[in-house]
């Protein structure tokens, strides 16, 4: 029985359109897109208490405001990458950013939980169309060597700092306006990118023809959604809950179907030969594990500051600046460190900082407060993430052919989004299970258990880094 697919509409190659030769402005538009999409995964964190109160979310149910976005984003990224092959990377970026902007308006005017979650899902789907083009456009717009490395350095710094910046910006917008402004802020940014892109970014070669792997997109996305729902359901009830168990079974069936489908279709979403390279396969695994821990750190640190220490949204946002500053500095230093010490050592150093920060958070107690319990770990994690991201990008891009650059970068971002969503759902499960059985200070006991699980994820990522081999120079022949 054949796999359902949708045939592309055109088979006539089109010549890429020219753009003005201003690489700095092109990089601003590309990196601005990346920042907006990544920032939106965390900018709502600080606004969650207000959203939960106004729209009636439960404490564990609030995680869906984050997870719906990251699931749609991660689950559809590879399909978005294929669409970019068909219509051109610049065009895909523009259409994705435009749709993202409209979905942001819908989220900002939402008056019930269902409308907000639908808007978040649409944001994620639009992000999945735009995001694969960012790294691919850097790979095709900047010459191999120092020029591309500088562009990758800026891209990695912004990618790493995006989550922390999102928390700070979210606090400012929520405190000065309302939670709705964490959505409305995307409108001017999106419009600027849509106007700049056709003027300063060159269109890539288009590869029409072939089929879209719709079956892969559906089974993969729904499978991950079922798995995340199952974990969150356990966090709200218990491990013997019938809905949770049914969701686990459905998730397993869908994900197995996804893997089988990817071995049979003409143009699979996951290009399996990308995993034949040992370093690239390990780097993808690290890209799954690091966000799995970090999303939980952001989520529970925010909850601790606002619901336990009673910080205002603005104060909460600024409380994350000690993470953003070291992260950005470390990401800027990383290229020089990489040239001197090698990608593996730099990534391992960053991973150890991440482990130190999450282990420190796992010792949090009721009397620590911000300075004693949160500040130090945030600084360590900022340094750690800053030193981790660029080396991993180097491992993943090494030796990739231009025609597979979009697939490689799309898979990289898929791992980040899926890892963050799945990791957060697991940590929410740990939090809910432990807090229900705590005799005193249920939030603190649940949060420290969740931070311990995050430490396990970061420790596993370091183990994979140590298994890497020194990479060949980045080459996109």
């Amino acid at each position: 029985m054949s796999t359902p697919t949708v045939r592309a509409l055109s088979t006539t190659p089109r010549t890429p359109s020219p753009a003005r030769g201003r690489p700095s402005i092109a990089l601003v538009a590309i990196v601005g897109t990346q920042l907006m999409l990544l920032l939106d995964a965390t900018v709502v964190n600080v606004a969650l208490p207000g959203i939960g109160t106004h729209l009636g979310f439960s404490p564990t149910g609030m995680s869906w405001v984050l997870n719906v976005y990251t699931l749609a984003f991660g689950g559809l990224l590879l399909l978005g990458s294929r669409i970019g092959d068909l219509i051109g990377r610049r065009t895909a970026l523009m259409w994705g950013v435009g749709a993202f902007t409209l979905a942001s308006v819908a989220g900002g005017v939402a008056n019930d939980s269902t409308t907000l979650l639908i808007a978040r899902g649409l944001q994620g789907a639009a992000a999945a169309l735009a995001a694969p083009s960012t790294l691919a456009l850097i790979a095709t717009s900047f010459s191999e060597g120092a020029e591309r490395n500088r562009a990758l350095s800026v891209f990695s710094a912004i990618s790493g700092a995006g989550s922390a910046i999102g928390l700070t910006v979210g606090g400012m917008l929520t405190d000065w306006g309302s939670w709705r402004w964490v959505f409305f802020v995307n409108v001017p940014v999106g419009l600027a990118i849509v106007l700049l892109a056709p003027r300063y970014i060159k269109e890539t070669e288009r590869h029409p023809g072939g089929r879209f792997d719709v079956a892969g997109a559906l089974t993969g996305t729904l499978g991950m959604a079922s798995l995340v729902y199952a974990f969150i359901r356990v966090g709200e009830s218990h491990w013997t809950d019938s809905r949770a168990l049914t969701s686990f079974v459905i998730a397993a069936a869908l994900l197995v179907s996804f893997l089988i489908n990817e071995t049979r279709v003409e143009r699979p979403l996951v290009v399996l030969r990308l995993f034949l390279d040992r370093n690239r396969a390990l780097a993808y695994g690290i890209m799954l594990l690091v966000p799995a821990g970090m999303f939980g750190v952001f989520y529970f640190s925010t909850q601790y500051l606002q619901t336990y220490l009673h910080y205002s949204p603005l104060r909460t946002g600024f409380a994350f600046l000690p993470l953003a500053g070291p992260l950005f500095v470390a990401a800027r230093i990383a290229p020089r460190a990489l040239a001197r010490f090698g990608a593996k050592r730099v990534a391992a150093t960053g991973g150890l900082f991440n482990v130190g920060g999450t282990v420190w958070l796992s010792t949090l107690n009721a009397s620590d407060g911000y300075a004693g319990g949160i500040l130090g770990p945030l600084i360590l994690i900022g340094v750690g993430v800053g030193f981790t991201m660029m080396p991993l990008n180097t491992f993943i891009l090494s030796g990739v052919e231009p025609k597979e650059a979009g697939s490689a970068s799309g898979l990289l971002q898929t791992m980040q989004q899926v890892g963050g969503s799945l990791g957060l759902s697991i940590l929410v499960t740990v939090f809910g299970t432990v807090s229900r059985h705590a005799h005193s200070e249920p939030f603190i006991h649940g949060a420290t258990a969740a931070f311990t699980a995050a430490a396990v994820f970061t420790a596993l990522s370091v183990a994979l880094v140590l298994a890497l081999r020194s990479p060949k120079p980045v080459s996109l022949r």
Side-chain angles (χ1 to χ4, degrees), residues 257-293:
S257 298
F258 170 76
L259 291 175
I260 294 173
N261 176 78
E262 296 309 280
T263 65
R264 295 180 177 179
V265 294
E266 176 188 355
R267 301 190 70 181
L269 291 181
V270 177
V271 181
L272 296 179
R273 60 179 170 271
L274 290 173
F275 290 93
L276 295 178
D277 181 273
R278 170 192 170 93
N279 279 352
R280 190 177 299 116
L282 290 171
Y284 280 138
I286 299 164
M287 281 293 191
L288 186 77
L289 288 168
V290 172

Side-chain angles (χ1 to χ4, degrees), residues 42-310:
T42 57
V43 70
V44 300
N45 254 297
V46 179
L48 281 177
I51 293 173
T53 300
H54 191 257
L55 300 184
F57 284 100
S58 68
T60 52
M62 281 192 299
S63 64
W64 276 111
V65 180
L66 305 178
N67 279 334
V68 166
Y69 176 78
T70 54
L71 279 172
F73 192 172
L76 298 174
L77 258 171
L78 295 174
L79 183 61
S81 179
R82 286 300 189 199
I83 295 174
D85 287 338
L86 173 66
I87 66 176
R89 297 290 169 190
R90 186 184 69 184
T91 302
L93 183 143
M94 292 171 57
W95 279 102
V97 169
F100 184 91
T101 303
L102 292 175
S104 297
V105 174
V109 300
N111 285 316
D112 58 79
S113 59
T114 301
T115 302
L116 179 63
L117 292 180
I118 291 173
R120 290 290 283 167
L122 292 174
Q123 279 186 309
L129 178 59
S133 297
T134 55
L135 196 55
L137 284 170
I138 287 179
T140 56
S141 300
F142 295 88
S143 301
E144 182 179 354
E147 183 183 54
R148 184 182 298 160
N149 285 341
R150 283 194 296 269
L152 283 173
S153 173
V154 174
F155 182 87
S156 298
I158 294 299
S159 296
S163 297
I165 294 171
L167 293 166
T168 305
V169 172
M172 296 167 63
L173 293 171
T174 303
D175 203 69
W176 294 343
S178 76
W179 63 263
R180 298 184 185 279
W181 282 100
V182 302
F183 297 100
F184 291 145
V185 71
N186 294 321
V187 176
V189 178
L191 290 176
I193 292 169
V194 170
L195 292 174
L196 286 174
R199 293 172 62 87
Y200 296 104
I201 300 177
K202 294 180 181 179
E203 182 61 282
T204 61
E205 182 180 355
R206 301 174 184 181
H207 303 281
R211 297 170 181 268
F212 289 144
D213 183 11
V214 175
L218 290 176
T219 54
T221 304
L222 293 177
M224 287 305 306
S226 297
L227 187 59
V228 168
Y229 174 79
F231 277 116
I232 293 177
R233 181 71 185 179
V234 168
E236 292 178 335
S237 54
H238 46 75
W239 282 97
T240 57
D241 180 82
S242 60
R243 290 187 182 180
L245 294 176
T246 300
S247 295
F248 278 123
V249 172
I250 293 173
L254 286 170
L255 293 175
V256 169
S257 298
F258 170 76
L259 291 175
I260 294 173
N261 176 78
E262 296 309 280
T263 65
R264 295 180 177 179
V265 294
E266 176 188 355
R267 301 190 70 181
L269 291 181
V270 177
V271 181
L272 296 179
R273 60 179 170 271
L274 290 173
F275 290 93
L276 295 178
D277 181 273
R278 170 192 170 93
N279 279 352
R280 190 177 299 116
L282 290 171
Y284 280 138
I286 299 164
M287 281 293 191
L288 186 77
L289 288 168
V290 172
M294 293 304 102
F295 271 51
V297 166
F298 297 147
Y299 182 80
F300 288 106
S301 294
T302 300
Q303 298 303 308
Y304 174 74
L305 292 171
Q306 286 195 265
T307 63
Y308 196 82
L309 298 184
H310 305 294

Side-chain angles (χ1 to χ4, degrees), residues 297 301 356-364 373-374 377-378 381 447-448 451-452:
V297 166
S301 294
T358 50
V359 169
W360 191 345
L361 282 171
S362 71
T363 66
L364 187 71
I374 298 292
L378 290 182
I381 290 170
T448 54
F451 288 138
T452 300

